[in-house]
Amino acid sequence: MELQYLGTAAAEGWPALFCSCDICKRARRTGGKELRTRTQALLDETILIDFPPDTYTHALQYTLQLGKLRHLLVTHSHMDHFFPVELIHRHEHFGHGAQGMLHVYGNEAVEKAFYDAVLIDRFRVHPLDDAVRFVTVKPFEDFMADGYHIIPVPADHDPREVCLIYIIEKDGTCMLYGHDTGMNLSKEAWECIFSHSYDLVSLDATMGTKQINGYHMGLADDLAFVKLLEEHGCVGQHTVKVINHFSHNGEMSHEQLDAFAKEHGMLAAYDGMKVRFENEQS
Ligand SMILES: [Zn+2]
Ligand SMILES: [Zn+2]
Ligand SMILES: [Zn+2]
């Protein structure tokens, strides 16, 4: 499989829209990998994960053929992961040649945000019935999308909704997409996570050098999370371990995150990064 990180920042972006902290000033000055748009990833050019306001920018930057895309997996309704009003543009009036149906998978809060955005008066003349279909997903209720077996696992994030992280497998290759979440997962969630072997794990690193009790993870949590996976035999030498979803409030530059990741056998994601991974046997 190949995962492309289209955006790697938390909600406020990096540099943050209205911020003049040292990290943001440095990012504006340095550019390159120090600039981050909101979190989004694309698996094998087939499964899009999350739909931030930067989706349009990503489509331009990486020449994505979003009209061909049939599957969008959404983790939760926070605006950096789901900016649904943009989906109206898949209607044939705006999206000429968009192929078939785009399936949007998400929890009930994502579903409400979707309908609140696309059923507004201005768009009622362009119903999405033939272009976008919402599919409500629930924790541990696995489903298939274009040959990919997807298992939603409840995250430790905003308690106002059932935020989800995802286990995705195909042809014996398996990944864990763990954004946004803390480490206070339910017993059932850990059991589900521990019952798989991963070729790639992508972990929330929002807090950087800091640590909070749940909601997001920092670098110390990422190390602890990987250690747990190791203890349960879920990761091996070949497993690609990525830290992602960064905030300037974590008080580290990309250069520093990259150095930390290298020291611990991980990769610090940056916008545009592509990672190939496969089952040990293949
Ligand atoms: Zn987020
Ligand atoms: Zn800042
Ligand atoms: Zn969030």
Side-chain angles (χ1 to χ4, degrees):
M1 294 195 212
E2 183 181 78
L3 188 67
Q4 185 175 19
Y5 287 84
L6 306 173
T8 57
E12 64 274 38
W14 179 327
L17 197 53
F18 298 104
C19 190
S20 56
C21 77
D22 287 344
I23 295 289
C24 289
K25 279 199 265 191
R26 181 196 155 107
R28 289 188 191 98
R29 216 171 41 234
T30 314
K33 291 177 185 173
E34 300 284 349
L35 300 178
R36 301 179 185 280
T37 55
R38 271 62 67 87
T39 296
Q40 184 174 39
L42 181 60
L43 180 63
D44 292 339
E45 297 182 9
T46 306
I47 311 266
L48 186 63
I49 309 176
D50 283 332
F51 198 74
D54 301 311
T55 303
Y56 180 78
T57 306
H58 295 161
L60 292 185
Q61 181 104 27
Y62 309 112
T63 48
L64 306 177
Q65 305 293 315
L66 291 188
K68 291 185 178 164
L69 201 82
R70 304 289 182 89
H71 304 282
L72 165 61
L73 212 52
V74 181
T75 55
H76 61 305
S77 74
H78 290 174
M79 61 68 82
D80 54 325
H81 298 262
F82 195 50
F83 189 70
V85 70
E86 194 82 279
L87 287 167
I88 195 72
H89 299 125
R90 203 177 191 279
H91 185 277
E92 63 179 5
H93 183 72
F94 311 103
H96 306 296
Q99 294 166 9
M101 187 72 79
L102 172 67
H103 299 83
V104 181
Y105 307 88
N107 67 23
E108 285 172 7
V110 175
E111 180 180 24
K112 182 177 183 311
F114 171 73
Y115 287 112
D116 284 353
V118 304
L119 294 182
I120 59 176
D121 280 348
R122 186 160 71 89
F123 293 143
R124 272 184 214 280
V125 286
H126 301 302
L128 283 176
D129 302 0
D130 297 325
V132 185
R133 179 178 299 151
F134 195 88
V135 183
T136 315
V137 298
K138 294 198 160 60
F140 309 118
E141 292 188 6
D142 58 327
F143 57 94
M144 295 298 294
D146 215 345
Y148 293 80
H149 179 218
I150 299 169
I151 309 169
V153 179
D156 160 25
H157 196 48
D158 189 339
R160 289 170 295 186
E161 63 180 281
V162 185
C163 300
L164 298 167
I165 58 178
Y166 289 100
I167 296 168
I168 308 173
E169 43 188 10
K170 191 189 182 196
D171 301 334
T173 298
C174 184
M175 65 173 266
L176 172 66
Y177 192 79
H179 317 277
D180 301 0
T181 188
M183 280 192 72
N184 299 324
L185 298 167
S186 66
K187 187 167 162 283
E188 295 76 14
W190 281 121
E191 276 170 8
C192 181
I193 290 168
F194 292 152
S195 68
H196 293 79
S197 298
Y198 302 102
D199 307 296
L200 178 139
V201 292
S202 189
L203 297 175
D204 188 300
T206 314
M207 303 313 298
T209 53
K210 299 178 190 164
Q211 223 175 344
I212 50 170
N213 185 23
Y215 207 86
H216 279 302
M217 297 199 281
L219 299 177
D221 299 307
D222 293 321
L223 295 182
F225 200 111
V226 167
K227 191 157 179 282
L228 278 175
L229 294 176
E230 282 167 357
E231 284 167 6
H232 287 80
C234 304
V235 293
Q237 287 293 324
H238 77 293
T239 307
V240 181
K241 288 160 264 177
V242 184
I243 49 174
N244 180 39
H245 192 280
F246 300 109
S247 165
H248 57 140
N249 287 332
E251 294 181 349
M252 287 174 85
S253 64
H254 175 73
E255 204 176 286
Q256 290 167 323
L257 287 162
D258 194 44
F260 174 90
K262 284 200 175 91
E263 190 188 330
H264 297 279
M266 297 171 153
L267 295 173
Y270 55 86
D271 284 20
M273 180 175 90
K274 280 185 182 176
V275 194
R276 284 202 66 81
F277 58 100
E278 55 187 21
N279 185 284
E280 229 179 343
Q281 270 77 51
S282 47

